[in-house]
Structures are given as C-alpha cells and as structure tokens.
Amino acid sequence: AHFVPADFAKSYPILCELYNSVEGSGFTDVSGDGAVFITLAKAMGFIEGNGDGTFAPEEPVTYQQAVKMLVAVTGSGKRLAAEKGGYPAGYLAAAGELGITAGTDFRGDDKIGGGDFERLLAKFLAIKISPLPVILIDFIPAATPELCADAYAQAVRDRCGTVQYALTDDALRAKTRADFIAADWVTGTSSPWVAGYEIQKTGDLTFEITFHYASGKGPEDDVLIKAEMKRVAGYYQITALNSAAES
C-alpha cells in the first residue's frame, strides 16, 4: 500500500492502494485536480504515458487508448494482450476476444467520443471480468496521538487491515505487509470478535489498548496492545505494537 498526498485545502483524502508506488505520476505535464487519478491509473498499470515523460492530458483519447485502459483493468486481459503482441495490436485483439469491441467499427487512432466510450465500457462491464484486486480507502492521517490510537483500535475492531497498515510507519509496514496480504487485508476472526476496547495513555507517545473479546459463549480473554508512536510531518504514525493476553 502506498499513498497519494492529500490536498487538505480542497479536502481530498489520501488514497491507499495495493500496487506500485504512487508518490507521483512522473509526468511533467500533469498537475491540478486530475493529478491524483492519473497517478493512480499509472500506478495500477492502466496508462503509461507517451514515453517522453509526458501524458498530454488535454489531448483527445483514441479508440486504441480507450481499449487498452479497459483491457488493462483486468490481470487476465492484460496478460492476453501481452501474449498477442502488446500495445496497440495485442490490446485490440484481446478486446475482440473478450467481447469489448463486438459490433464496433473504428480505426485504432480515431478519436473516441464520450458516447462511444460509454458503449465500450458497458460491454466491458457486461462480461463480468474480475477486476484487479485493488483496494481504495479514504484515509486521513492522525493529527494527534490520541486520534492515532483510537483509529487503530477501531480498525482492529472493524477487522480493517488497510487502515491498520496505513497508520504505521514504513519500518513497521515492511514487517507486517506479508501477513496483511496473506490475510487478504482482513484481520482477526469472526469468532471471537472485538466487542469493545479501552485506551489508556501511558506517555507522550505511548498507549495501552485493551481489547475486550466475545464469542457466542460469552466474554473471552482480553488482549492488551502496547502502541508506540512518532510524529512525522504534522501527523502521527505507529512505530511498534506489542501484545499480551489479559485475564
């Protein structure tokens, strides 16, 4: 998971995604309101730009570019296109086999209109191809240690691994990433579950979080988590998590 910097002046949340780094698109001609979406599209492999460091965001999209973006949304479609020679011919061939371009008549370098793209998109959605397993979450960094502790505790209760991961620093992410992926970013168990939690501040940047577990049989053992934090660029991240069972 990596992060696109938020524009707090415009209330944009940080987006978290599970593919390549999205620290920036790298395109010299991309800025403004659309930059976050172009950056994510590049990170997920839907677009690549012009090969000279530009994206030409004001230029009309061609049919073959539109087809490439739709095919690239799926791992199987992208692999099929690569087997057929890559961009553009391989993507056009893959789109034909997948049914995306069925009944259409166009040249690959023709400019595509909005209505035509909507028709291609409708055909793509109709074939019910599984999309790439990308997860996007709204995430705002914790402005105080208390908010960080509470957000982490709530994420554990919700079994939301992406938020737990987002709240930690780079070093802790490196240690936990494989476990989150193996669990498909869903933590904990359906039973016993976290019925509630209490947070106690033990230092300026340390907290003890007591999770109260329950099952169909009633209350289960509590679990105590000790969290350590640090301040980074005006917000707080968790640097260490240690647990011990409580009676």
Side-chain angles (χ1 to χ4, degrees):
H2 298 271
F3 306 97
V4 175
D7 185 337
F8 292 104
K10 296 182 179 179
S11 301
Y12 289 165
I14 283 181
L15 296 175
C16 169
E17 58 85 33
L18 304 185
Y19 277 90
N20 301 315
S21 174
V22 290
E23 298 304 324
S25 70
F27 297 131
T28 58
D29 57 350
V30 168
S31 62
D33 291 348
V36 62
F37 304 106
I38 293 172
T39 298
L40 285 171
K42 183 181 179 184
M44 288 182 256
F46 305 161
I47 60 174
E48 297 176 14
N50 297 321
D52 60 356
T54 66
F55 178 67
E58 303 302 325
E59 290 294 319
V61 174
T62 67
Y63 276 96
Q64 62 192 22
Q65 289 171 337
V67 166
K68 190 250 180 165
M69 287 187 282
L70 290 174
V71 171
V73 169
T74 72
S76 58
K78 198 169 183 178
R79 287 192 295 272
L80 180 61
E83 293 171 358
K84 294 181 176 296
Y87 181 80
Y91 280 90
L92 294 171
E97 289 195 15
L98 294 170
I100 297 173
T101 55
T104 60
D105 182 20
F106 58 84
R107 293 184 179 183
D109 55 359
D110 287 344
K111 307 304 180 186
I112 190 169
D116 290 334
F117 183 80
E118 288 180 2
R119 283 186 282 276
L120 290 178
L121 179 60
K123 290 178 180 179
F124 167 76
L125 295 173
I127 59 180
K128 295 182 171 62
I129 297 178
S130 296
L132 290 170
V134 63
I135 299 173
L136 299 179
I137 61 168
D138 288 345
F139 173 70
I140 302 297
T144 68
E146 291 80 7
L147 286 173
C148 188
D150 187 68
Y152 175 78
Q154 187 61 48
V156 171
R157 182 173 187 174
D158 294 340
R159 304 179 62 194
C160 183
T162 49
V163 171
Q164 295 171 48
Y165 183 92
L167 289 165
T168 59
D169 70 348
D170 289 343
L172 190 51
R173 288 175 194 164
K175 294 178 181 178
T176 59
R177 180 179 173 83
D179 290 336
F180 280 121
I181 292 174
D184 201 21
W185 300 88
V186 178
T187 61
T189 60
S190 57
S191 182
W193 60 85
V194 176
Y197 59 84
E198 297 173 3
I199 300 174
Q200 180 179 358
K201 189 171 184 178
T202 57
D204 290 342
L205 295 174
T206 58
F207 292 82
E208 289 185 350
I209 307 171
T210 302
F211 291 100
H212 304 300
Y213 281 81
S215 69
K217 298 178 180 179
E220 300 284 340
D221 290 342
D222 290 345
V223 172
L224 176 65
I225 298 291
K226 297 182 179 181
E228 299 176 16
M229 302 178 191
K230 68 178 181 181
R231 187 174 187 272
V232 179
Y235 58 92
Y236 291 84
Q237 293 181 322
I238 298 171
T239 60
L241 292 164
N242 299 292
S243 63
E246 287 193 340
S247 59

